[in-house]
Amino acid sequence: MRQILNVTLNEDGQFEITDARGKMVEGPFDTNAAAWSALDRIDHDTMPGKPRSNKKVLWGKPEKPAKRNGKKAARRQASKDEHRMKVNAAKAPGWVRSVAAAKFDPAGERNYRDHRLGTFGAASDVKRIDPATYLAEKAVSAGKDKR
């Protein structure tokens, strides 16, 4: 037979747990919440099945215990990540690699650009010329042209 229990307010303003006949089973309690928690305790005592555990309720994921080989596993994971990045970089199209090279190695990009352009115009090495020698050579070549 199942017993029906209720939480009721008595004349003194306190809460009690009563049965279907109105007889007080437990109480009085100062708050409604205290009465209901006592009712839950009573109800769980009479309920068949697995008893409640005394473990604390954990909000979110519980912390896992530290592993003994944490450093070794972290190193191994870092190595795997680095290898995966290299593999993915090798698969990237040429224009992506050139943009990445320019972004992460500006000096390398300059060398690549200079090599590709070659050296001409303002980028070429300046040949040092003595003005007196130049004028003498010009006068000699002008004399050859007159003949």
Side-chain angles (χ1 to χ4, degrees):
M1 182 171 124
R2 188 167 180 124
Q3 186 179 15
I4 298 175
L5 300 175
N6 291 319
V7 174
T8 58
L9 187 64
N10 65 10
E11 299 85 27
D12 298 332
Q14 293 183 325
F15 296 91
E16 304 176 329
I17 299 174
T18 58
D19 62 3
R21 293 178 296 187
K23 184 179 174 193
M24 184 176 73
V25 176
E26 196 169 332
F29 299 100
D30 293 330
T31 62
N32 190 18
W36 278 105
S37 65
L39 179 64
D40 285 340
R41 273 196 312 275
I42 292 169
D43 192 34
H44 285 299
D45 287 344
T46 60
M47 254 178 39
K50 187 176 175 184
R52 290 177 84 177
S53 68
N54 292 330
K55 286 184 180 178
K56 288 190 223 174
V57 175
L58 298 174
W59 299 104
K61 293 185 178 179
E63 291 182 17
K64 294 182 179 177
K67 293 185 178 180
R68 293 177 64 193
N69 60 353
K71 289 181 183 177
K72 187 176 181 182
R75 241 188 331 226
R76 189 180 314 121
Q77 185 63 35
S79 173
K80 284 182 180 180
D81 290 344
E82 185 178 346
H83 181 261
R84 176 61 29 209
M85 283 175 48
K86 286 180 182 178
V87 168
N88 289 340
K91 290 180 184 175
W95 65 272
V96 172
R97 287 195 301 256
S98 65
V99 169
K103 185 170 187 175
F104 297 114
D105 186 17
E109 174 63 17
R110 267 197 305 278
N111 290 341
Y112 172 73
R113 185 181 57 230
D114 292 347
H115 172 71
R116 209 164 160 192
L117 289 175
T119 53
F120 57 90
S124 63
D125 292 333
V126 177
K127 185 176 179 183
R128 299 288 174 195
I129 301 172
D130 184 29
T133 309
Y134 172 72
L135 290 174
E137 288 177 0
K138 191 172 182 184
V140 171
S141 67
K144 286 182 183 177
D145 289 340
K146 289 185 180 179
R147 293 188 203 169

